[in-house]
C-alpha cells in the first residue's frame, strides 16, 4: 500500500476482534467509578498549546519533545492533548464548578497524543481513563483512589501482577528546600552524572531521580532523601494515607525516587507497576496537585487524580490470559431462513423477539444461501443456538431450535413461545 494510505506510526486501529476486550475493560472501570460516586466529564481533544505549557511545565519531557502542536487557520497554536488533567482543570475553572470549595469527583476516557518512540506498550495515540477530585485535601480521598484501583485489579484478575509504589513530594516549600539540598549534592558529583541528568540539574533537578542511567543511579544512592525534608503537614498526610492502605490491606513499596514526569504534583504520588510488560511497566499513575488550579488562574483548590493506560492494561489481560469467556461470544442466536416466504416471516419473528428480549444478541442471516452455507455462518458467528425456518417449519408455524454447542437435540418451538423459550436458555449480558 502506498505510504500515504497507511495509519500514522504509533497510531493504531483497534480491530473488531480486539474491541470486545476493550469494551469489557472500559465497562468494568466505568461501573466501578459509578459505584464510587464519580461523574464523567468529556473535554475536547485539542486545546490551546499554552494550557499544556502552563500546567504540565515547560521543562518536562511532554512539553519539550512529545507534543503534537500545530497552527490552525486562524494562526492559533493548538495541541492534541497529551494528558487529561490540564483540560479537566481548565473545564472546571471555565464552568465555575469548583468555586466556593465545591467538591467534584470526575473521570474521563479518551485518546491522548505524545510523539514518543513507538514500541510495545508505548504509542503516539494511546488511551487513558483518568480521574480528578477537587476540593478534598485529606489523605482519605488519596486512599480512596488507590483502594478503587486495587479493587479494579482484583475484578480484572491481575492483582497479583501489579505493585503499588508510593512517595510524598511534600508541599512546594518543603520540595523547594529539598531541591536545594539535592542540587548542592548533585553539583558536587557533577562529572559522574550522565548528560541528560546534567541538563536536568539546571532545568528540573527532581527529574534526575528518575534517571535510568546506572552511573547516575550510583551517585543517587547517597543523595539527600525527600522524606527527610517533609514538613509536618505533609508527613501527617502521608502517614494518614499509609494507615488507610494498611487498614484495607493494600501492600505498597515506598519509592523515594518516584517523582513523576509532570511538574504539578505535591504530597502523594503513586504508580501501579508490573513486570509483565517489559520496559513499559507503569499501568496507572497519579498523585496530588494542590497548587495546580491556582497556578492556572483559579482560586486555591486542592486536587488529586490518576490516569491509567488502557493499551497497557488490555495487554496485561491478554498476557495473563484474564479474558472472560463470555466476552468473546458476540452472538447468542442466529436465525437461518430458507426461501423468500421464510425470510419475510423470519424478519417479522426476529423483530417480535427483539421487542420482548431487548438484550438478546440475535443475528438474522443476510444474503440468503443454501442450508449448508447458512449453517456454516451460524456456527462461525459463535452463536449458541440456530433458529431454522424452512418449508416444514413455515407450514406448522414453528421454528427449529438447534443447539450449536452440543447441548441437546433440535426441537420445534411455536412462534409465539419463542421469546419465552430463549429467555430460559440464553444468559443475557
Ligand atoms: P511512562 O513513564 O511510561 O512514559 P508517564 O509517566 O509518561 O509514563 P503518565 O503521563 O503518568 O505516564 O500517564 C499515565 C499512564 O498512561 C501511564 O502510566 C501509562 O499507563 C499510560 N501511558 C503514558 N504514555 C503512554 C504511551 N505513550 N503509550 C501508551 N500508554 C501510555
Ligand atoms: Mg512518558
Amino acid at each position: 500500500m502506498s505510504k500515504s494510505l497507511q495509519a500514522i506510526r504509533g497510531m493504531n486501529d483497534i480491530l473488531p476482534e480486539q474491541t470486545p476486550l476493550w469494551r469489557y475493560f472500559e465497562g468494568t472501570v466505568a461501573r466501578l467509578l459509578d459505584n464510587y460516586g464519580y461523574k464523567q466529564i468529556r473535554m475536547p481533544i485539542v486545546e490551546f498549546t499554552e494550557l499544556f505549557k502552563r500546567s504540565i511545565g515547560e521543562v518536562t519531557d511532554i512539553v519539550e519533545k512529545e507534543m503534537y502542536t500545530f497552527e490552525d487557520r486562524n494562526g492559533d497554536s493548538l495541541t492534541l492533548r497529551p494528558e487529561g488533567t490540564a483540560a479537566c482543570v481548565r473545564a472546571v475553572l471555565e464552568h465555575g464548578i469548583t468555586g466556593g470549595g465545591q467538591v467534584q469527583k470526575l473521570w474521563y476516557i479518551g485518546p491522548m497524543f505524545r510523539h514518543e518512540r513507538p514500541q510495545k506498550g508505548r504509542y503516539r495515540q494511546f488511551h487513558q481513563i483518568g480521574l480528578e477530585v477537587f476540593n478534598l485535601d485529606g489523605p482519605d480521598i488519596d486512599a480512596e483512589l488507590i483502594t478503587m484501583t486495587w479493587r479494579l485489579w482484583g475484578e480484572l484478575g491481575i492483582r497479583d501482577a501489579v505493585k503499588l509504589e508510593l512517595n510524598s513530594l511534600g508541599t512546594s516549600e518543603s520540595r523547594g528546600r529539598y531541591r536545594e539540598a539535592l542540587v548542592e549534592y548533585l553539583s558536587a558529583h557533577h562529572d559522574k552524572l550522565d548528560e541528560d541528568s546534567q541538563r536536568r540539574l539546571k532545568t528540573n533537578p527532581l527529574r534526575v531521580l528518575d534517571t535510568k542511567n546506572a552511573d547516575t543511579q550510583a551517585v543517587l544512592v547517597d543523595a539527600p532523601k525527600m522524606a527527610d525534608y517533609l514538613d509536618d503537614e505533609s508527613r501527617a498526610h502521608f502517614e494518614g494515607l499509609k494507615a488507610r492502605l494498611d487498614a484495607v490491606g493494600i501492600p505498597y513499596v515506598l519509592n523515594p525516587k518516584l517523582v513523576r514526569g509532570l511538574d504539578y504534583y505535591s504530597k502523594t504520588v503513586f504508580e501501579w507497576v508490573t513486570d509483565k510488560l517489559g520496559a513499559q511497566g507503569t499501568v496507572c499513575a497519579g498523585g496530588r496537585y494542590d497548587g495546580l488550579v491556582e497556578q492556572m488562574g483559579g482560586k486555591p483548590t486542592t486536587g488529586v487524580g490518576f490516569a491509567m493506560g488502557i493499551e497497557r492494561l488490555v495487554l496485561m489481560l491478554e498476557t495473563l490470559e484474564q479474558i472472560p469467556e463470555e466476552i468473546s461470544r458476540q452472538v447468542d442466536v442466529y436465525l437461518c431462513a430458507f426461501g423468500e416466504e421464510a425470510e419475510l416471516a423470519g424478519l417479522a419473528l426476529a423483530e417480535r423477539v427483539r421487542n420482548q428480549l431487548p438484550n438478546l444478541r440475535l443475528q438474522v442471516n443476510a444474503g440468503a444461501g443454501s442450508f449448508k452455507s447458512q449453517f456454516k455462518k451460524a456456527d462461525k458467528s459463535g452463536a449458541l443456538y440456530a433458529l431454522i425456518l424452512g418449508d416444514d417449519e413455515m407450514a406448522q408455524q414453528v421454528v427449529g431450535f438447534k443447539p450449536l454447542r452440543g447441548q441437546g437435540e433440535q426441537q420445534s418451538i411455536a412462534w409465539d413461545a419463542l421469546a419465552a423459550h430463549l429467555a430460559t436458555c440464553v444468559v443475557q449480558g
Side-chain angles (χ1 to χ4, degrees):
M1 211 190 292
S2 83
K3 187 141 196 269
S4 62
L5 291 181
Q6 289 180 351
I8 296 165
R9 197 163 109 84
M11 306 205 179
N12 301 314
D13 298 305
I14 300 158
L15 293 172
E17 72 215 41
Q18 301 167 297
T19 49
L21 186 55
W22 279 68
R23 291 179 62 180
Y24 156 70
F25 174 77
E26 292 164 2
T28 305
V29 184
R31 178 174 41 73
L32 207 69
L33 291 165
D34 282 347
N35 292 352
Y36 276 80
Y38 290 74
K39 297 207 174 104
Q40 194 184 18
I41 180 168
R42 302 186 184 198
M43 298 86 65
I45 285 171
V46 190
E47 300 271 354
F48 288 118
T49 305
E50 189 56 26
L51 173 70
F52 301 113
K53 288 195 177 166
R54 286 241 314 257
S55 58
I56 299 171
E58 299 260 9
V59 285
T60 53
D61 281 353
I62 292 182
V63 172
E64 278 184 337
K65 24 182 201 200
E66 296 176 357
M67 294 206 301
Y68 280 92
T69 297
F70 59 96
E71 233 178 57
D72 77 354
R73 287 169 194 275
N74 302 332
D76 291 325
S77 179
L78 307 184
T79 293
L80 298 182
R81 63 181 185 194
E83 53 102 62
T85 305
C88 189
V89 169
R90 183 215 30 83
V92 298
L93 284 180
E94 189 165 337
H95 300 284
I97 58 173
T98 51
Q102 207 180 325
V103 171
Q104 292 289 348
K105 296 166 78 175
L106 306 173
W107 70 279
Y108 54 82
I109 178 169
M112 307 293 161
F113 303 84
R114 298 184 193 176
H115 197 276
E116 305 195 68
R117 192 168 69 77
Q119 53 199 288
K120 182 183 169 193
R122 188 176 296 285
Y123 312 99
R124 290 180 172 173
Q125 172 173 334
F126 62 99
H127 298 78
Q128 285 183 340
I129 294 181
L131 170 164
E132 319 290 348
V133 179
F134 298 101
N135 285 318
L136 287 173
D137 59 4
D140 48 356
I141 192 70
D142 303 22
E144 178 173 284
L145 301 194
I146 292 172
T147 307
M148 193 160 58
T149 46
W150 172 249
R151 171 167 298 280
L152 176 64
W153 316 141
E155 287 193 18
L156 295 171
I158 59 174
R159 196 181 263 178
D160 293 342
V162 290
K163 195 175 77 180
L164 175 62
E165 298 200 352
L166 209 57
N167 193 18
S168 175
L169 301 178
T171 56
S172 64
E173 297 81 52
S174 55
R175 202 160 56 255
R177 280 189 287 119
Y178 173 61
R179 188 183 296 119
E180 264 175 43
L182 185 67
V183 169
E184 194 183 344
Y185 172 85
L186 291 176
S187 301
H189 298 81
H190 190 268
D191 295 348
K192 293 191 212 120
L193 304 178
D194 63 284
E195 222 174 282
D196 239 8
S197 297
Q198 290 180 345
R199 189 174 55 84
R200 281 178 172 161
L201 182 56
K202 296 203 191 75
T203 55
N204 196 349
L206 289 191
R207 291 298 313 279
V208 176
L209 298 177
D210 217 13
T211 184
K212 304 273 184 294
N213 182 283
D215 297 332
T216 305
Q217 280 177 346
V219 173
L220 286 172
V221 171
D222 294 320
K225 303 272 178 291
M226 181 72 228
D228 299 327
Y229 288 79
L230 287 184
D231 54 292
D232 292 346
E233 183 203 333
S234 300
R235 199 183 302 273
H237 188 103
F238 200 36
E239 291 307 317
L241 171 59
K242 288 189 280 184
R244 283 167 175 85
L245 297 180
D246 292 338
V248 191
I250 302 176
Y252 51 83
V253 188
L254 298 180
N255 177 358
K257 293 199 187 127
L258 183 64
V259 289
R260 312 277 309 114
L262 298 80
D263 262 359
Y264 49 58
Y265 287 106
S266 55
K267 294 185 181 159
T268 311
V269 286
F270 67 92
E271 288 193 1
W272 286 100
V273 296
T274 179
D275 56 9
K276 307 288 180 205
L277 297 179
Q280 274 50 252
T282 306
V283 293
C284 174
R288 181 161 278 286
Y289 48 84
D290 289 344
L292 179 63
V293 175
E294 202 176 355
Q295 179 190 318
M296 287 172 65
K299 298 220 166 61
T301 304
T302 61
V304 59
F306 65 68
M308 54 181 106
I310 303 183
E311 280 81 358
R312 290 185 195 177
L313 283 158
V314 165
L315 257 172
M316 256 189 100
L317 294 175
E318 288 170 339
T319 309
L320 299 174
E321 297 181 10
Q322 292 295 327
I323 305 177
E325 214 169 298
E326 58 288 1
I327 70 161
S328 43
R329 186 166 54 78
Q330 291 176 65
V331 181
D332 298 319
V333 182
Y334 193 101
L335 188 147
C336 309
F338 306 98
E340 206 171 312
E341 218 184 303
E343 271 187 30
L344 297 182
L347 176 62
L349 181 62
E351 286 308 307
R352 284 220 304 279
V353 168
R354 287 175 175 133
N355 287 341
Q356 287 174 269
L357 303 175
N359 293 324
L360 184 73
R361 294 171 298 183
L362 167 59
Q363 195 165 318
V364 176
N365 183 73
S370 67
F371 199 78
K372 200 171 148 198
S373 83
Q374 290 200 32
F375 257 109
K376 219 167 155 182
K377 287 197 273 177
D379 190 48
K380 213 172 151 214
S381 76
L384 295 175
Y385 303 99
L387 301 175
I388 301 149
L389 273 177
D391 291 344
D392 290 350
E393 286 82 9
M394 287 298 290
Q396 295 172 48
Q397 307 238 315
V398 295
V399 60
F401 176 85
K402 185 176 164 56
L404 293 172
R405 315 282 152 208
Q407 321 92 321
E409 295 294 304
Q410 180 168 334
Q411 321 167 32
S412 291
I413 315 273
W415 291 353
D416 287 345
L418 180 59
H421 183 74
L422 288 173
T424 63
C425 48
V426 181
V427 182
Q428 292 172 39

